[in-house]
Coordinates of all heavy atoms in Angstrom, one line a residue:
M1 N 0.8 -1.2 0.0 CA 0.1 0.0 0.0 C 0.9 1.3 0.0 O 0.6 2.2 -0.8 CB -1.0 0.0 1.2 CG -1.8 1.2 1.4 SD -3.0 1.2 0.1 CE -4.0 2.6 0.7
R2 N 1.9 1.2 0.8 CA 2.8 2.4 0.9 C 3.5 2.6 -0.3 O 3.7 3.7 -0.8 CB 3.7 2.2 2.1 CG 4.5 3.4 2.4 CD 5.3 3.3 3.7 NE 5.6 4.6 4.1 CZ 6.2 5.0 5.2 NH1 6.5 3.9 6.1 NH2 6.6 6.1 5.5
L3 N 4.0 1.5 -0.9 CA 4.8 1.7 -2.2 C 3.8 2.2 -3.3 O 4.2 3.0 -4.0 CB 5.4 0.3 -2.6 CG 6.1 0.2 -3.8 CD1 7.3 1.1 -3.8 CD2 6.6 -1.2 -4.2
L4 N 2.6 1.7 -3.3 CA 1.7 2.2 -4.3 C 1.5 3.6 -4.2 O 1.4 4.4 -5.2 CB 0.4 1.4 -4.2 CG -0.7 1.8 -5.1 CD1 -0.3 1.6 -6.6 CD2 -2.0 1.1 -4.8
T5 N 1.3 4.1 -2.9 CA 1.1 5.6 -2.7 C 2.3 6.3 -3.2 O 2.2 7.4 -3.8 CB 1.0 5.8 -1.2 OG1 -0.2 5.0 -0.7 CG2 0.7 7.3 -0.9
H6 N 3.6 5.8 -2.9 CA 4.8 6.5 -3.4 C 4.9 6.5 -4.9 O 5.2 7.6 -5.6 CB 6.0 5.8 -2.9 CG 6.1 5.9 -1.4 ND1 5.9 7.0 -0.6 CD2 6.5 5.0 -0.4 CE1 6.1 6.8 0.6 NE2 6.5 5.6 0.8
V7 N 4.5 5.4 -5.5 CA 4.6 5.4 -7.0 C 3.6 6.4 -7.6 O 3.9 7.0 -8.6 CB 4.3 3.9 -7.5 CG1 4.1 3.8 -8.9 CG2 5.5 3.0 -7.1
L8 N 2.3 6.4 -7.1 CA 1.3 7.3 -7.5 C 1.7 8.7 -7.4 O 1.5 9.6 -8.3 CB -0.1 7.1 -6.8 CG -0.7 5.7 -7.2 CD1 -2.0 5.5 -6.4 CD2 -1.1 5.7 -8.8
F9 N 2.3 9.0 -6.2 CA 2.7 10.4 -6.0 C 3.8 10.8 -7.0 O 3.8 11.8 -7.6 CB 3.3 10.6 -4.5 CG 3.6 12.0 -4.2 CD1 2.7 13.0 -4.0 CD2 4.9 12.3 -4.1 CE1 3.0 14.2 -3.6 CE2 5.2 13.6 -3.8 CZ 4.3 14.6 -3.6
A10 N 4.8 10.0 -7.2 CA 5.9 10.1 -8.2 C 5.4 10.4 -9.5 O 5.8 11.2 -10.3 CB 7.0 9.1 -8.0
S11 N 4.5 9.5 -9.9 CA 3.9 9.5 -11.2 C 3.1 10.9 -11.4 O 3.2 11.5 -12.5 CB 2.8 8.4 -11.4 OG 3.5 7.2 -11.3
C12 N 2.5 11.3 -10.4 CA 1.8 12.7 -10.5 C 2.7 13.7 -10.7 O 2.5 14.7 -11.5 CB 0.9 12.9 -9.3 SG -0.5 11.8 -9.2
L13 N 3.8 13.7 -9.9 CA 4.9 14.7 -10.1 C 5.5 14.7 -11.5 O 5.6 15.8 -12.1 CB 6.1 14.5 -9.1 CG 5.8 14.8 -7.7 CD1 7.1 14.5 -6.9 CD2 5.5 16.4 -7.6
V14 N 5.8 13.6 -12.1 CA 6.4 13.4 -13.4 C 5.3 13.9 -14.4 O 5.6 14.7 -15.4 CB 6.8 12.0 -13.7 CG1 7.2 11.9 -15.1 CG2 8.0 11.7 -12.7
F15 N 4.1 13.5 -14.3 CA 3.1 13.9 -15.2 C 2.8 15.4 -15.1 O 2.7 16.1 -16.2 CB 1.7 13.1 -14.9 CG 0.6 13.5 -15.8 CD1 0.6 13.0 -17.1 CD2 -0.4 14.4 -15.4 CE1 -0.5 13.4 -18.0 CE2 -1.4 14.7 -16.2 CZ -1.5 14.2 -17.6
S16 N 2.7 15.9 -13.9 CA 2.5 17.4 -13.8 C 3.7 18.2 -14.5 O 3.4 19.2 -15.1 CB 2.5 17.8 -12.3 OG 1.4 17.2 -11.8
A17 N 4.9 17.7 -14.2 CA 6.1 18.4 -14.8 C 6.1 18.4 -16.3 O 6.4 19.3 -17.0 CB 7.4 17.8 -14.2
S18 N 5.6 17.1 -16.9 CA 5.6 17.1 -18.4 C 4.5 17.9 -18.9 O 4.7 18.5 -19.9 CB 5.5 15.6 -18.7 OG 4.2 15.2 -18.4
Q19 N 3.4 18.1 -18.2 CA 2.3 18.9 -18.8 C 2.7 20.4 -18.8 O 2.4 21.0 -19.7 CB 1.1 18.7 -17.8 CG 0.4 17.4 -18.0 CD -0.1 17.1 -19.4 OE1 -0.7 18.1 -20.1 NE2 0.0 16.0 -19.9
E20 N 3.4 20.8 -17.7 CA 3.9 22.2 -17.7 C 4.9 22.4 -18.8 O 4.9 23.5 -19.4 CB 4.4 22.5 -16.3 CG 3.4 22.5 -15.2 CD 3.4 23.8 -14.5 OE1 4.3 24.7 -14.8 OE2 2.5 24.0 -13.6
A21 N 5.8 21.5 -19.1 CA 6.8 21.6 -20.1 C 6.1 21.7 -21.4 O 6.5 22.5 -22.3 CB 7.8 20.5 -20.0
N22 N 5.1 21.0 -21.6 CA 4.4 21.0 -22.9 C 3.6 22.1 -23.1 O 3.3 22.5 -24.3 CB 3.5 19.7 -23.1 CG 4.3 18.4 -23.2 OD1 5.5 18.5 -23.7 ND2 3.8 17.3 -22.8
A23 N 3.0 22.7 -22.1 CA 2.2 23.9 -22.2 C 2.9 25.1 -22.6 O 2.3 26.0 -23.2 CB 1.4 24.2 -20.8
G24 N 4.2 25.2 -22.3 CA 5.0 26.3 -22.8 C 4.7 27.6 -22.1 O 4.8 28.7 -22.6
Q25 N 4.3 27.4 -20.8 CA 4.1 28.6 -20.0 C 5.4 29.4 -19.7 O 6.4 28.8 -19.6 CB 3.4 28.2 -18.7 CG 2.0 27.6 -18.9 CD 1.4 27.1 -17.6 OE1 2.0 27.1 -16.6 NE2 0.1 26.8 -17.7
Q26 N 5.2 30.7 -19.5 CA 6.4 31.5 -19.2 C 7.0 31.1 -17.8 O 8.2 31.0 -17.6 CB 6.1 32.9 -19.3 CG 6.0 33.5 -20.6 CD 5.8 35.0 -20.6 OE1 5.4 35.5 -19.6 NE2 6.0 35.5 -21.8
Q27 N 6.1 31.0 -16.8 CA 6.6 30.7 -15.5 C 6.5 29.2 -15.3 O 5.5 28.6 -15.3 CB 5.8 31.4 -14.4 CG 6.2 31.2 -13.0 CD 5.4 31.9 -12.0 OE1 4.4 32.5 -12.4 NE2 5.7 31.8 -10.8
Q28 N 7.7 28.6 -15.1 CA 7.7 27.1 -14.9 C 8.0 26.8 -13.4 O 8.9 27.4 -12.9 CB 8.8 26.5 -15.7 CG 8.8 25.0 -15.7 CD 9.8 24.5 -16.7 OE1 10.5 25.2 -17.3 NE2 9.8 23.2 -16.8
K29 N 7.1 26.0 -12.8 CA 7.3 25.6 -11.4 C 8.4 24.5 -11.3 O 8.3 23.6 -12.1 CB 5.9 25.1 -10.9 CG 5.9 24.5 -9.6 CD 5.6 25.6 -8.6 CE 5.3 24.9 -7.3 NZ 6.0 25.6 -6.2
D30 N 9.2 24.7 -10.3 CA 10.2 23.6 -9.9 C 9.6 22.7 -9.0 O 9.3 23.2 -7.9 CB 11.5 24.2 -9.5 CG 12.4 24.5 -10.6 OD1 12.3 24.0 -11.7 OD2 13.3 25.3 -10.3
Y31 N 9.5 21.4 -9.3 CA 9.0 20.4 -8.3 C 10.1 19.8 -7.5 O 9.9 19.2 -6.4 CB 8.2 19.3 -9.0 CG 6.9 19.9 -9.6 CD1 6.9 20.3 -10.9 CD2 5.8 20.1 -8.8 CE1 5.7 20.9 -11.4 CE2 4.7 20.6 -9.3 CZ 4.6 21.0 -10.6 OH 3.4 21.6 -11.1
L32 N 11.3 20.0 -8.0 CA 12.5 19.5 -7.3 C 13.3 20.7 -6.8 O 13.5 21.6 -7.5 CB 13.3 18.6 -8.2 CG 12.6 17.3 -8.7 CD1 13.6 16.6 -9.7 CD2 12.3 16.3 -7.6
S33 N 13.9 20.4 -5.6 CA 15.0 21.4 -5.2 C 16.2 21.3 -6.1 O 16.3 20.4 -6.8 CB 15.3 21.2 -3.7 OG 16.1 20.0 -3.6
S34 N 17.1 22.3 -6.0 CA 18.2 22.3 -6.8 C 19.1 21.1 -6.5 O 19.8 20.5 -7.4 CB 19.0 23.6 -6.7 OG 19.4 23.8 -5.4
V35 N 19.2 20.7 -5.2 CA 20.0 19.6 -4.8 C 19.4 18.3 -5.4 O 20.1 17.4 -5.9 CB 20.0 19.5 -3.3 CG1 20.7 18.2 -2.8 CG2 20.8 20.7 -2.7
E36 N 18.0 18.2 -5.3 CA 17.4 16.9 -5.9 C 17.6 16.9 -7.4 O 17.8 15.8 -8.0 CB 15.9 17.0 -5.5 CG 15.6 16.9 -4.0 CD 14.2 17.1 -3.7 OE1 13.4 17.8 -4.4 OE2 13.7 16.7 -2.6
A37 N 17.5 18.1 -8.0 CA 17.6 18.0 -9.5 C 19.0 17.6 -9.9 O 19.3 16.9 -10.9 CB 17.3 19.4 -10.0
D38 N 20.1 18.1 -9.1 CA 21.4 17.7 -9.3 C 21.6 16.2 -9.2 O 22.3 15.5 -10.0 CB 22.4 18.4 -8.4 CG 22.5 19.9 -8.7 OD1 22.2 20.3 -9.8 OD2 23.0 20.6 -7.8
K39 N 21.0 15.6 -8.2 CA 21.1 14.1 -8.0 C 20.5 13.4 -9.2 O 21.0 12.4 -9.6 CB 20.3 13.8 -6.6 CG 21.1 14.2 -5.4 CD 20.3 13.7 -4.2 CE 21.1 14.1 -2.9 NZ 20.3 13.7 -1.7
V40 N 19.4 13.9 -9.7 CA 18.7 13.2 -10.8 C 19.6 13.3 -12.0 O 19.8 12.4 -12.8 CB 17.3 13.9 -11.1 CG1 16.8 13.3 -12.3 CG2 16.4 13.5 -9.9
R41 N 20.2 14.5 -12.2 CA 21.1 14.7 -13.4 C 22.3 13.8 -13.3 O 22.9 13.4 -14.3 CB 21.5 16.2 -13.4 CG 20.7 17.0 -14.3 CD 21.2 18.4 -14.6 NE 20.1 19.3 -14.3 CZ 20.0 20.1 -13.1 NH1 20.9 20.0 -12.2 NH2 19.0 20.9 -13.0
D42 N 22.8 13.7 -12.1 CA 24.0 12.8 -11.8 C 23.7 11.4 -12.2 O 24.7 10.6 -12.6 CB 24.5 12.8 -10.4 CG 25.1 14.2 -10.1 OD1 25.5 15.0 -11.1 OD2 25.3 14.5 -9.0
A43 N 22.5 10.9 -12.1 CA 22.1 9.5 -12.5 C 21.5 9.6 -13.9 O 20.6 8.7 -14.2 CB 21.1 9.1 -11.5
E44 N 22.1 10.2 -14.8 CA 21.5 10.4 -16.1 C 21.3 9.2 -17.0 O 20.3 9.1 -17.6 CB 22.5 11.4 -16.9 CG 23.9 10.9 -17.1 CD 24.8 11.8 -17.8 OE1 25.0 12.9 -17.2 OE2 25.3 11.5 -18.8
N45 N 22.2 8.2 -16.9 CA 22.0 7.0 -17.7 C 21.4 5.8 -16.9 O 21.4 4.8 -17.5 CB 23.3 6.7 -18.4 CG 23.6 7.7 -19.5 OD1 22.8 8.3 -20.1 ND2 24.9 7.9 -19.6
N46 N 21.2 6.0 -15.6 CA 20.7 4.9 -14.8 C 19.3 5.1 -14.4 O 18.9 5.8 -13.4 CB 21.6 4.9 -13.6 CG 21.3 3.6 -12.7 OD1 20.3 2.9 -12.9 ND2 22.3 3.3 -11.8
T47 N 18.3 4.5 -15.2 CA 16.9 4.7 -15.0 C 16.5 4.2 -13.7 O 15.7 4.9 -13.0 CB 16.1 4.0 -16.1 OG1 16.6 4.5 -17.3 CG2 14.6 4.2 -16.0
N48 N 17.0 3.1 -13.2 CA 16.7 2.6 -11.9 C 17.0 3.5 -10.8 O 16.2 3.7 -9.9 CB 17.3 1.2 -11.7 CG 16.7 0.1 -12.6 OD1 15.6 0.2 -13.0 ND2 17.5 -0.9 -12.8
E49 N 18.1 4.1 -10.9 CA 18.6 5.0 -9.9 C 17.7 6.3 -9.9 O 17.4 6.9 -8.9 CB 20.0 5.5 -10.1 CG 20.6 6.5 -9.1 CD 20.7 5.9 -7.7 OE1 20.6 4.7 -7.5 OE2 20.9 6.8 -6.8
R50 N 17.3 6.7 -11.0 CA 16.5 8.0 -11.1 C 15.1 7.7 -10.6 O 14.5 8.5 -9.8 CB 16.3 8.4 -12.6 CG 17.6 8.9 -13.2 CD 17.4 9.3 -14.6 NE 16.9 10.7 -14.6 CZ 16.9 11.5 -15.6 NH1 17.3 11.1 -16.8 NH2 16.4 12.7 -15.6
I51 N 14.5 6.5 -10.8 CA 13.2 6.2 -10.3 C 13.4 6.1 -8.7 O 12.5 6.6 -8.0 CB 12.7 4.8 -10.9 CG1 12.4 5.0 -12.3 CG2 11.5 4.2 -10.1 CD1 12.1 3.7 -13.1
R52 N 14.4 5.4 -8.3 CA 14.7 5.3 -6.8 C 14.7 6.7 -6.2 O 14.2 7.0 -5.2 CB 15.9 4.6 -6.4 CG 16.1 4.2 -5.0 CD 17.5 3.6 -4.7 NE 18.6 4.7 -4.9 CZ 18.8 5.7 -4.1 NH1 18.1 5.8 -3.1 NH2 19.8 6.5 -4.3
L53 N 15.4 7.7 -6.8 CA 15.5 9.0 -6.3 C 14.1 9.7 -6.3 O 13.8 10.3 -5.3 CB 16.5 9.9 -7.2 CG 18.0 9.5 -7.0 CD1 18.7 10.3 -8.1 CD2 18.4 10.0 -5.6
F54 N 13.3 9.6 -7.3 CA 12.0 10.2 -7.4 C 11.2 9.6 -6.3 O 10.4 10.3 -5.7 CB 11.3 10.0 -8.7 CG 11.9 11.0 -9.8 CD1 12.4 10.5 -11.0 CD2 11.7 12.3 -9.6 CE1 12.8 11.4 -11.9 CE2 12.2 13.2 -10.6 CZ 12.8 12.7 -11.7
L55 N 11.3 8.3 -6.0 CA 10.4 7.6 -5.0 C 10.9 8.2 -3.6 O 10.0 8.4 -2.7 CB 10.5 6.1 -5.2 CG 9.8 5.6 -6.2 CD1 10.0 4.1 -6.2 CD2 8.3 5.8 -6.1
M56 N 12.2 8.3 -3.5 CA 12.7 8.9 -2.2 C 12.2 10.3 -2.0 O 11.8 10.6 -0.8 CB 14.2 8.8 -2.2 CG 14.9 9.2 -0.9 SD 16.7 8.9 -1.0 CE 17.1 10.3 -2.1
F57 N 12.2 11.1 -3.0 CA 11.7 12.5 -2.8 C 10.3 12.5 -2.5 O 9.8 13.3 -1.7 CB 12.0 13.3 -4.2 CG 13.4 13.4 -4.6 CD1 13.8 13.5 -5.9 CD2 14.5 13.3 -3.7 CE1 15.1 13.6 -6.3 CE2 15.8 13.4 -4.0 CZ 16.1 13.4 -5.4
A58 N 9.5 11.6 -3.2 CA 8.1 11.6 -2.9 C 7.8 11.1 -1.5 O 6.9 11.7 -0.8 CB 7.4 10.6 -3.9
E59 N 8.6 10.1 -1.0 CA 8.4 9.7 0.4 C 8.7 10.8 1.3 O 7.9 10.9 2.3 CB 9.3 8.5 0.6 CG 9.1 7.9 2.0 CD 10.1 6.7 2.2 OE1 10.9 6.4 1.4 OE2 9.8 6.1 3.3
D60 N 9.7 11.5 1.1 CA 10.1 12.6 2.0 C 8.9 13.7 2.0 O 8.5 14.1 3.1 CB 11.3 13.3 1.5 CG 11.7 14.4 2.4 OD1 11.8 14.2 3.6 OD2 12.0 15.6 1.9
R61 N 8.3 14.0 0.9 CA 7.2 14.9 0.8 C 6.0 14.4 1.5 O 5.3 15.2 2.2 CB 6.9 15.3 -0.6 CG 8.0 16.3 -1.2 CD 7.8 16.5 -2.7 NE 8.6 17.5 -3.2 CZ 10.0 17.3 -3.4 NH1 10.6 16.2 -3.0 NH2 10.7 18.2 -3.9
L62 N 5.7 13.1 1.3 CA 4.6 12.5 2.0 C 4.8 12.5 3.6 O 3.8 12.8 4.3 CB 4.4 11.1 1.6 CG 3.8 11.0 0.1 CD1 3.8 9.6 -0.3 CD2 2.3 11.5 0.1
K63 N 6.0 12.3 4.0 CA 6.2 12.3 5.5 C 6.0 13.8 6.0 O 5.4 13.9 7.1 CB 7.7 11.9 5.7 CG 7.9 10.4 5.7 CD 9.4 10.2 6.0 CE 9.7 8.7 5.8 NZ 11.1 8.4 6.1
K64 N 6.4 14.8 5.2 CA 6.2 16.1 5.7 C 4.8 16.5 5.7 O 4.3 17.2 6.6 CB 7.0 17.1 4.8 CG 8.5 17.0 4.9 CD 9.2 17.9 3.9 CE 10.7 17.8 4.0 NZ 11.4 18.6 3.0
F65 N 4.1 16.0 4.7 CA 2.6 16.3 4.6 C 1.8 15.7 5.7 O 1.0 16.2 6.4 CB 2.1 15.8 3.3 CG 0.6 16.1 3.0 CD1 0.1 17.4 2.9 CD2 -0.3 15.1 3.0 CE1 -1.2 17.6 2.8 CE2 -1.6 15.3 2.8 CZ -2.1 16.6 2.7
Q66 N 2.2 14.4 6.0 CA 1.6 13.7 7.1 C 1.9 14.4 8.4 O 1.0 14.4 9.3 CB 2.1 12.2 7.1 CG 1.4 11.3 8.1 CD 0.0 11.1 7.8 OE1 -0.3 11.0 6.6 NE2 -0.9 11.0 8.8
Y67 N 3.1 14.8 8.5 CA 3.5 15.6 9.8 C 2.6 16.8 10.0 O 2.0 17.1 11.1 CB 5.0 15.9 9.8 CG 5.3 16.8 11.0 CD1 5.7 16.1 12.2 CD2 5.3 18.1 11.1 CE1 6.0 16.8 13.4 CE2 5.7 18.8 12.2 CZ 6.0 18.2 13.3 OH 6.3 18.9 14.5
E68 N 2.4 17.5 8.9 CA 1.5 18.7 9.0 C 0.1 18.3 9.3 O -0.6 19.1 10.0 CB 1.6 19.5 7.6 CG 2.9 20.1 7.3 CD 3.3 21.2 8.4 OE1 2.4 21.9 8.8 OE2 4.5 21.3 8.7
L69 N -0.4 17.2 8.8 CA -1.7 16.8 9.1 C -1.9 16.5 10.6 O -2.9 16.8 11.2 CB -2.2 15.6 8.3 CG -2.4 15.9 6.8 CD1 -2.8 14.6 6.1 CD2 -3.5 17.0 6.6
E70 N -0.9 15.8 11.1 CA -0.9 15.4 12.5 C -0.6 16.5 13.5 O -1.0 16.4 14.7 CB 0.1 14.2 12.7 CG -0.3 12.9 12.0 CD 0.8 11.9 12.0 OE1 1.9 12.2 12.6 OE2 0.5 10.8 11.5
H71 N 0.1 17.6 13.1 CA 0.4 18.7 13.9 C 0.0 20.0 13.3 O 0.7 20.8 12.9 CB 1.9 18.7 14.2 CG 2.5 17.4 14.7 ND1 2.9 16.3 13.9 CD2 2.7 17.1 16.0 CE1 3.4 15.4 14.7 NE2 3.3 15.8 16.0
P72 N -1.4 20.2 13.4 CA -1.9 21.5 12.8 C -1.4 22.6 13.6 O -1.0 22.6 14.8 CB -3.4 21.4 13.0 CG -3.6 20.4 14.1 CD -2.4 19.4 14.0
P73 N -1.2 23.8 13.0 CA -0.7 25.0 13.7 C -1.7 25.4 14.8 O -2.9 25.3 14.6 CB -0.5 26.1 12.6 CG -1.4 25.6 11.5 CD -1.5 24.1 11.6
Q74 N -1.1 25.8 15.9 CA -1.9 26.3 17.1 C -2.2 27.7 16.9 O -1.3 28.5 16.8 CB -1.1 26.0 18.4 CG -0.8 24.5 18.6 CD -2.1 23.7 18.9 OE1 -3.1 24.2 19.4 NE2 -2.1 22.5 18.4
T75 N -3.4 28.1 16.7 CA -3.7 29.5 16.6 C -4.4 30.0 17.9 O -5.2 29.2 18.6 CB -4.8 29.7 15.4 OG1 -5.9 28.9 15.6 CG2 -4.1 29.4 14.1
V76 N -4.1 31.2 18.2 CA -4.6 31.7 19.5 C -5.8 32.6 19.1 O -5.6 33.5 18.3 CB -3.6 32.6 20.2 CG1 -4.1 33.2 21.4 CG2 -2.3 31.7 20.6
M77 N -6.9 32.4 19.7 CA -8.1 33.1 19.5 C -8.2 34.2 20.5 O -8.2 33.9 21.8 CB -9.3 32.3 19.4 CG -9.3 31.2 18.3 SD -10.9 30.3 18.1 CE -11.9 31.6 17.6
R78 N -8.4 35.4 20.1 CA -8.6 36.6 21.0 C -10.0 36.9 21.1 O -10.8 36.8 20.1 CB -7.8 37.8 20.4 CG -6.3 37.6 20.4 CD -5.7 38.9 20.1 NE -4.3 38.7 19.8 CZ -3.5 39.7 19.6 NH1 -3.9 40.9 19.5 NH2 -2.2 39.4 19.5
T79 N -10.4 37.3 22.3 CA -11.8 37.7 22.4 C -11.6 39.3 22.7 O -10.8 39.7 23.4 CB -12.4 37.0 23.6 OG1 -11.7 37.3 24.8 CG2 -12.6 35.6 23.4
C80 N -12.6 39.9 22.2 CA -12.6 41.4 22.3 C -13.2 41.8 23.6 O -14.1 41.3 24.2 CB -13.3 42.0 21.0 SG -12.5 41.8 19.6

C-alpha cells in the first residue's frame, strides 16, 4: 500500500512536470529542489537510480505532509 502511494505520487509529479513543459508557460514551477535536481542529473543514464530518487523524494514529501496533518498549527483566538 505504501509503495503504491509513493509510485502514484511520483507519477503525478512526473506527469505534472511534463504537462507544464508541454504547455510552454512562461513561469515554470520547479518540483524538485536544486539539490534533488542535481542528484537526478548525476544519475543520467541509470533509469533505476532515477526512479529510486524520485520515490525517495516523494516519500520525503509525504512524510512532511503527514506531519503537517498530525500537527496542525496552534492559533490563539482573541476575544474582544
Side-chain angles (χ1 to χ4, degrees):
M1 177 69 177
R2 188 173 198 174
L3 179 62
L4 178 61
T5 304
H6 295 317
V7 171
L8 288 175
F9 184 75
S11 298
C12 288
L13 283 178
V14 171
F15 179 74
S16 296
S18 68
Q19 289 298 322
E20 291 235 356
N22 290 337
Q25 297 177 349
Q26 284 185 346
Q27 184 179 1
Q28 187 175 4
K29 174 93 172 128
D30 272 339
Y31 291 96
L32 299 175
S33 69
S34 58
V35 173
E36 292 171 339
D38 289 341
K39 287 180 181 181
V40 171
R41 267 188 232 105
D42 289 343
E44 61 187 58
N45 293 328
N46 189 344
T47 305
N48 290 335
E49 179 67 14
R50 291 179 84 166
I51 291 171
R52 188 190 66 76
L53 286 169
F54 281 121
L55 289 175
M56 187 176 68
F57 302 151
E59 181 179 12
D60 183 52
R61 283 171 176 74
L62 286 172
K63 283 181 186 176
K64 289 176 184 176
F65 182 69
Q66 187 65 35
Y67 178 84
E68 291 297 323
L69 289 177
E70 292 172 357
H71 300 89
Q74 299 294 325
T75 57
V76 177
M77 298 189 68
R78 295 185 186 186
T79 56
C80 296

